[in-house]
Amino acid sequence: MSSSSDAALESIVQRGLEAYRAGRFFEAHELWETGWRDEADPVRKTFLQGLILVAAALHKLTRMRSPSGAVRLLAKARARLAGMPEGMGGLAMGLLVDDITRAAAAIEQLARGERTELDASLLPRMESAGDVAPTSPSGARQRP
């Protein structure tokens, strides 16, 4: 990927991140989808599709009250994002993929109790690659 391609992708990611971090998941989905439609590179297109699916899953959970739908969408997102290189789109991909797995498990627990309110600390974090704390000696990432 060239540096101009990297910059363009990071710009697309940043447009949706503000909405995502503010809990405006549908808006984040729409912003990333605009970039996805215009993207020609299949790897970057798959990456953006993964972000779109994370946002769609959280919208499905928080607005549509469908934990099972959210879990299905998170599984699809994880499948698309799991192989992405660290720093793709400027994001800490290992952290994001780990958080998607953790969020899906937490949402499954909520569904068993017929609840849909997920603690904000369990939402998948989309952090800049350089902003993530190093892993602990056990290999687990430290939460900032």
Side-chain angles (χ1 to χ4, degrees):
M1 218 183 322
S2 71
S3 62
S4 65
S5 297
D6 291 346
L9 182 61
E10 286 187 31
S11 175
I12 292 164
V13 170
Q14 287 302 314
R15 283 191 294 244
L17 275 179
E18 183 178 328
Y20 179 88
R21 290 177 178 153
R24 298 187 316 266
F25 304 120
F26 185 79
E27 182 182 338
H29 165 282
E30 292 295 306
L31 289 164
W32 288 325
E33 191 171 88
T34 300
W36 172 80
R37 273 191 241 115
D38 296 337
E39 183 57 63
D41 180 82
V43 173
R44 292 192 305 262
K45 196 166 187 88
T46 299
F47 166 73
L48 288 169
Q49 191 175 42
L51 298 184
I52 291 164
L53 287 164
V54 172
L58 296 176
H59 175 75
K60 184 150 302 263
L61 178 70
T62 61
R63 298 289 186 256
M64 301 174 79
R65 304 290 186 219
S66 175
S68 62
V71 169
R72 276 193 305 276
L73 289 171
L74 286 173
K76 290 179 181 182
R78 187 180 192 292
R80 284 166 179 81
L81 296 173
M84 294 294 154
E86 191 63 25
M88 182 77 166
L91 296 180
M93 294 307 301
L95 176 70
L96 177 56
V97 171
D98 288 350
D99 278 4
I100 289 169
T101 302
R102 188 177 40 77
I107 293 167
E108 286 177 335
Q109 285 287 3
L110 288 176
R112 287 188 203 114
E114 297 184 17
R115 297 175 27 231
T116 57
E117 61 284 342
L118 185 66
D119 184 286
S121 70
L122 295 174
L123 295 176
R125 292 169 289 167
M126 295 193 189
E127 301 294 336
S128 296
D131 292 344
V132 175
T135 58
S136 70
S138 68
R141 283 187 172 71
Q142 302 296 309
R143 291 190 73 88

